[in-house]
């Protein structure tokens, strides 16, 4: 199969869909890989590095899209990229469609087969292609929050870990999953006073056992959430509903009653955000202030550390990309019941129920959509 790797063009996105190591695996399996020039510059990989692994360098994204059968990216395709998608294309990347009606409509109209990293599952019910970026984002969220607390950035001027004789910052983490647990790791490591809220008592028990008495675990009710948010210096929104828009857990009224100079870090912003006052920001302009509360809502947080992020992402996506290239999309997806939920759009049909529900589309079962396309071709 011909595999294309365009350079990422989202604001300050430095990751790349395939690292040179992954390209080497692809070419060793007999696939052709076409990489846009400088696509790997953000991770320190030169065009020569890619050529040494068997890739061919193309000068423009348009050439990559025109040449490739499968496009491997990191972030959702931007409008100019979506315009280059054709019905024969397989698109394999993060999509986050539920809060993004414009992107969804373009992908539907393209006729392409679009597979989202974030809805691929595993035998334990987890989201294995989201995990490494959630780990990175969780750790970055606390660093971003600590930086935003500085007075020059609009914060209260509180040092996250305090010093002897002065209390540390209070960090509240909403959601004890992968993002939350890594935020807790970082916050405790920096000496903060850390509380986590979750509605799953098993999750809270596991976190208590992992982190010990240094972590406060609280069952999340509306009153408990409000109490701890209003007392916080940093609130990390770490909730996720697979494929769906994030619930708005922190209301605008709660934000208006928070301490001046406190910070909200919304890691759920890719799925629409879990704070009512959230709106997506960029690495070049990461924060804004509402009611004297700093909001950090960067939609591609792991892009800030592309070397770590790109290699961590490729570690988990490569086996699936190899399956797609080796078997084709239909067979690769039907052969693996955990890969199949990754199919979000196929030949103009929405095949992810959460996306269909969020945006008002008819839902088509992914297996039925794939079998239907085969039947249509046979007819």
């Amino acid at each position: 199969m011909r595999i294309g790797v365009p350079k990422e063009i989202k604001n300050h996105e430095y990751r790349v869909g395939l690292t040179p190591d992954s390209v080497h695996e692809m070419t060793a399996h007999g696939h052709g890989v076409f990489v846009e020039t400088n696509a790997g510059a953000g991770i320190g990989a030169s065009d020569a590095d890619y050529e040494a692994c068997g890739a061919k360098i193309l000068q423009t994204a348009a050439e990559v899209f025109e040449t490739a059968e499968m496009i491997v990216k990191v972030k959702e395709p931007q409008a100019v990229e979506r315009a280059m998608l054709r019905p024969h294309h397989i698109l394999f990347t993060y999509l986050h469609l539920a809060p993004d009606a414009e992107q969804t409509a373009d992908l539907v109209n393209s006729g392409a087969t679009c597979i989202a990293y974030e809805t691929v599952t595993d035998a334990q019910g987890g989201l294995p292609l989201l995990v490494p970026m959630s780990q990175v984002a969780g750790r970055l969220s606390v660093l971003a929050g600590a930086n935003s607390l500085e007075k020059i950035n609009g914060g209260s001027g509180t040092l996250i870990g305090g010093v002897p004789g002065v209390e540390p910052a209070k960090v509240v983490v909403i959601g004890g999953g992968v993002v939350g647990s890594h935020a807790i790791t970082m916050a405790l490591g920096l000496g903060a006073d850390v509380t986590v809220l979750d509605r799953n008592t098993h999750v809270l028990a596991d976190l208590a056992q992992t982190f010990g008495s240094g972590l406060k675990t609280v069952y999340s009710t509306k009153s408990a959430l409000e109490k701890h948010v209003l007392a916080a210096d940093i609130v990390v929104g770490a909730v996720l509903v697979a494929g769906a828009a994030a619930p708005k857990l922190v209301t605008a009224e709660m934000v208006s009653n928070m301490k001046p100079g406190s910070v909200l870090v919304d890691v759920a912003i890719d799925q629409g955000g879990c704070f009512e006052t959230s709106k997506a920001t960029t690495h070049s302009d990461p924060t804004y202030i509402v009611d004297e509360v700093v909001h950090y809502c960067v939609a591609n947080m792991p892009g800030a550390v592309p070397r770590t992020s790109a290699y961590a992402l490729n570690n988990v996506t490569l086996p699936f990309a190899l399956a797609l290239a080796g078997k084709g999309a239909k067979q690769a997806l039907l052969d693996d019941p955990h890969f199949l939920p990754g199919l979000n759009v196929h030949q103009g049909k929405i095949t992810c129920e959460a996306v269909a529900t969020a945006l008002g589309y008819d839902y088509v079962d992914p297996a039925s959509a794939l079998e239907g396309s085969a039947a249509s071709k046979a007819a």
Side-chain angles (χ1 to χ4, degrees):
M1 184 177 283
R2 298 187 304 277
I3 301 154
V5 183
K7 182 178 176 65
E8 296 290 325
I9 59 173
K10 188 163 184 168
N11 181 276
H12 285 278
E13 179 53 71
Y14 302 106
R15 291 172 289 180
V16 63
L18 293 177
T19 64
D21 289 346
S22 293
V23 168
H24 192 224
E25 289 292 319
M26 287 289 188
T27 57
H29 282 79
H31 305 297
V33 183
F34 301 85
V35 179
E36 184 180 354
T37 185
N38 293 320
I43 66 166
S46 67
D47 289 351
D49 292 330
Y50 279 101
E51 289 177 318
C53 294
K56 181 176 180 180
I57 302 300
L58 299 180
Q59 293 304 305
T60 66
E63 291 178 86
V64 172
F65 277 78
E66 184 178 347
T67 304
E69 299 165 273
M70 177 166 70
I71 303 294
V72 181
K73 283 177 46 59
V74 178
K75 289 305 294 178
E76 73 280 358
Q78 304 300 291
V80 66
E81 295 173 309
R82 300 195 294 268
M84 294 187 282
L85 286 171
R86 298 292 180 263
H88 71 273
H89 278 134
I90 301 166
L91 174 65
F92 191 36
T93 188
Y94 287 117
L95 291 176
H96 299 290
L97 294 179
D100 193 341
E102 182 179 348
Q103 182 196 178
T104 303
D106 286 349
L107 296 185
V108 166
N109 292 333
S110 76
T113 297
C114 306
I115 303 164
Y117 295 157
E118 73 273 8
T119 58
V120 175
T121 63
D122 61 23
Q124 292 73 45
L127 303 171
L129 306 193
L130 195 59
V131 165
M133 297 304 93
S134 295
Q135 293 170 337
V136 172
R139 291 171 181 251
L140 280 176
S141 68
V142 174
L143 297 179
N147 184 61
S148 297
L149 270 182
E150 294 179 13
K151 194 70 175 178
I152 194 172
N153 295 322
S156 62
T158 302
L159 180 63
I160 188 170
V163 293
V166 181
E167 290 185 349
K170 297 182 185 299
V171 176
V172 172
V173 179
I174 305 173
V178 178
V179 170
S181 64
H182 281 263
I184 291 164
T185 297
M186 187 63 73
L188 288 174
L190 291 172
D193 177 344
V194 187
T195 300
V196 61
L197 294 99
D198 200 286
R199 295 184 70 86
N200 187 322
T201 55
H202 296 294
V203 167
L204 293 174
D206 288 344
L207 291 171
Q209 184 172 13
T210 299
F211 294 104
S213 59
L215 173 67
K216 302 178 181 70
T217 59
V218 176
Y219 184 80
S220 185
T221 62
K222 288 184 178 180
S223 59
L225 182 68
E226 182 170 5
K227 171 187 173 182
H228 288 282
V229 165
L230 297 189
D233 295 295
I234 299 173
V235 179
V236 176
V239 297
L240 173 69
V241 179
K248 304 295 185 186
L249 298 180
V250 175
T251 66
E253 182 180 359
M254 290 167 64
V255 172
S256 69
N257 290 319
M258 290 178 68
K259 296 189 297 185
S262 54
V263 177
L264 294 175
V265 182
D266 199 340
V267 187
I269 194 64
D270 279 313
Q271 294 292 119
C274 60
F275 307 137
E276 195 172 25
T277 48
S278 290
K279 61 181 181 182
T281 61
T282 65
H283 286 293
S284 60
D285 190 14
T287 64
Y288 60 93
I289 296 175
V290 175
D291 291 328
E292 298 184 81
V293 175
V294 182
H295 291 57
Y296 182 99
C297 304
V298 174
N300 58 327
M301 286 179 64
V305 286
R307 289 190 188 223
T308 299
S309 298
Y311 282 96
L313 180 60
N314 272 238
N315 288 343
V316 293
T317 58
L318 178 60
F320 294 94
L322 283 168
L324 288 170
K327 298 179 178 182
K330 177 177 180 290
Q331 201 59 51
L333 291 163
L334 291 177
D335 282 353
D336 185 344
H338 301 297
F339 196 10
L340 185 60
L343 185 65
N344 278 210
V345 182
H346 179 65
Q347 294 187 347
K349 301 178 179 68
I350 297 293
T351 55
C352 175
E353 189 169 8
V355 173
T357 299
L359 297 177
Y361 285 87
D362 291 332
Y363 166 67
V364 179
D365 174 78
S368 300
L370 290 166
E371 296 289 5
S373 64
S376 297
K377 290 178 182 177

